[in-house]
């Protein structure tokens, strides 16, 4: 049931946070935006509302699956650790147990996430002027017609390895942030739940999930920037040789602040998105337990 609850929570959260995710990716990968508001204005001016939802269909389906695997892996891995260490799956886990289970969930997620992340980032950074925008020159056809077409083109032009560009940065990002994510949520729920109550209340779940997401994304942002830049590096460009080279070149050209591009946006987006994830997850789990 953990897998189903995670899938529902992940799908709903993606629909909520996708427009800001598009803005975040564009700010991280392109230099001409002066800030968040400028990026929003430019995207709407040239591409209208649809510009914020490029690649959303594949992303909702993928994130649902990823969230399902993430929550399912976390819960099962945590139960296995508790059974191994304490002799019972229901035993109260330590902070180390929760961190290890969270890190494992992040690692498993990367294997499934990377191709969809490549497609999402390429779609989000592709320019498609809205038909209502008048231009003296004919508008060229977009290279990618959709997420699946994008994956086909990447595989054809860059090989199977192209589908896993940025995998190293994604692994660093997701293992650490996932450990912090689940640990923060668990710690806040324990802290905010009154003594004598077995489960946290609705408001506690909302606040704990929101703050867990903010802290996790604050930690993940530097690797998120590197990941996005590596994934937009198409076959004809070859700007980056790997994670270290991408980080070094980005810092050399734009200063250390480049690693924190989109930090405020990540944190703003993370609060409502992860409130939705956890309250949906807890709601589905409690509904099934009741019936």
């Amino acid at each position: 049931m953990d897998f189903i609850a995670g899938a529902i929570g992940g799908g709903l959260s993606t629909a909520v946070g996708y427009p800001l995710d598009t803005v975040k990716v564009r700010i991280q990968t392109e230099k001409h935006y002066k800030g968040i508001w400028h990026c929003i204005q430019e995207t709407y001016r040239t591409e209208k509302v649809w510009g914020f939802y490029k690649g959303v269909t594949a992303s909702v389906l993928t994130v649902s699956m990823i969230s399902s695997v993430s929550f399912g892996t976390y819960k099962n891995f945590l139960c296995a650790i508790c059974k191994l260490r304490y002799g019972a799956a229901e035993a109260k886990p330590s902070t180390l147990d929760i961190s290890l289970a969270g890190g494992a969930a992040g690692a498993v997620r990367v294997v499934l996430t990377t191709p969809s992340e490549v497609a999402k980032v390429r779609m989000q950074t592709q320019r498609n002027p809205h038909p209502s925008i008048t231009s003296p020159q004919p508008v060229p056809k977009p290279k990618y017609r959709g997420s699946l077409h994008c994956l086909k083109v990447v595989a054809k032009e860059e090989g199977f390895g192209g589908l896993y560009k940025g995998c190293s940065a994604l692994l660093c990002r997701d293992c650490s942030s996932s450990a912090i994510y689940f640990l923060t949520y668990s710690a806040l729920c324990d802290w905010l739940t009154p003594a004598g109550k077995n489960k946290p209340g609705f408001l506690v779940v909302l606040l704990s999930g929101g703050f867990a997401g903010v802290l996790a994304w604050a930690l993940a942002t530097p690797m998120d920037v590197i990941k996005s830049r590596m994934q937009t590096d198409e076959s004809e460009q070859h700007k980056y040789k790997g994670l270290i080279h991408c980080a070094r070149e980005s810092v050399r050209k734009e200063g250390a602040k480049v690693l924190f591009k989109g930090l405020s946006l990540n944190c703003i987006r993370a609060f409502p998105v992860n409130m939705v994830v956890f309250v949906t997850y807890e709601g589905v789990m409690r509904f099934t337990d009741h019936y």
Side-chain angles (χ1 to χ4, degrees):
M1 201 60 222
D2 292 298
F3 290 95
I4 295 172
I8 297 171
L12 288 175
S13 70
T14 303
V16 170
Y18 200 83
L20 288 179
D21 186 64
T22 297
V23 174
K24 180 262 296 184
V25 168
R26 292 191 172 189
I27 286 174
Q28 288 178 340
T29 57
E30 299 172 35
K31 299 177 185 177
H32 66 274
Y33 294 118
K34 298 170 186 174
I36 296 171
W37 186 241
H38 180 239
C39 181
I40 292 172
Q41 285 180 312
E42 284 297 297
T43 300
Y44 182 76
R45 185 180 66 82
T46 56
E47 301 169 75
K48 302 304 180 190
V49 174
W50 175 241
F52 296 98
Y53 285 93
K54 284 181 175 177
V56 68
T57 306
S59 189
V60 166
L61 295 174
T62 305
V63 172
S64 293
M65 181 182 69
I66 300 308
S67 184
S68 169
V69 170
S70 183
F71 275 88
T73 300
Y74 169 73
K75 282 292 185 181
N76 284 283
F77 204 87
L78 190 60
C79 287
I81 292 174
C82 289
K83 195 171 183 180
L84 186 66
R85 292 190 66 187
Y86 314 115
E90 298 78 21
K92 186 173 177 62
S94 68
T95 55
L96 178 61
D97 300 333
I98 295 169
S99 298
L100 288 173
V108 170
R109 193 168 62 214
V110 169
V111 179
L112 302 172
T113 306
T114 310
S116 67
E117 281 284 317
V118 170
K120 177 178 76 71
V121 168
R122 295 279 179 98
M123 288 292 293
Q124 286 174 326
T125 54
Q126 178 175 256
R127 290 284 173 270
N128 299 121
H130 193 269
S132 65
I133 305 298
T134 56
S135 174
Q137 296 179 341
V139 178
K141 287 186 177 180
K143 181 176 181 178
Y144 307 120
R145 296 195 296 269
S147 298
L148 289 177
H149 181 252
C150 177
L151 290 175
K152 285 182 184 177
V153 172
V154 171
K156 182 179 178 182
E157 293 184 351
E158 303 169 46
F160 182 77
L163 298 175
Y164 279 85
K165 269 190 174 176
C167 183
S168 54
L170 198 59
L171 189 64
C172 292
R173 186 195 80 174
D174 281 9
C175 285
S176 56
S177 65
S178 187
I180 291 294
Y181 182 60
F182 285 109
L183 182 59
T184 304
Y185 176 73
S186 178
L188 285 174
C189 281
D190 287 345
W191 183 51
L192 295 172
T193 301
K197 287 190 70 175
N198 292 328
K199 292 183 179 180
F202 180 76
L203 183 59
V204 170
V205 170
L206 284 173
L207 291 174
S208 300
F211 282 116
V214 170
L215 192 58
W217 270 107
L219 176 70
T221 296
M223 277 300 152
D224 189 51
V225 173
I226 302 304
K227 184 267 311 178
S228 295
R229 292 190 167 210
M230 289 175 72
Q231 290 177 335
T232 54
D233 190 19
E234 298 188 18
S235 56
E236 64 270 15
Q237 296 172 329
H238 286 303
K239 289 192 294 185
Y240 307 120
K241 298 172 186 175
L243 188 155
I244 302 297
H245 183 249
C246 178
R248 192 169 57 231
E249 285 296 293
S250 297
V251 171
R252 185 178 66 82
K253 292 178 181 177
E254 301 172 59
K257 66 180 181 181
V258 70
L259 298 176
F260 298 93
K261 272 191 171 183
L263 174 61
S264 57
L265 198 56
N266 270 338
C267 293
I268 292 168
R269 181 176 65 95
F271 198 86
V273 164
N274 289 285
M275 282 197 329
V276 171
V277 170
F278 276 105
V279 82
T280 304
Y281 173 80
E282 292 286 355
V284 171
M285 291 300 294
R286 291 181 193 188
F287 178 82
T288 53
D289 286 346
H290 184 71
Y291 288 101

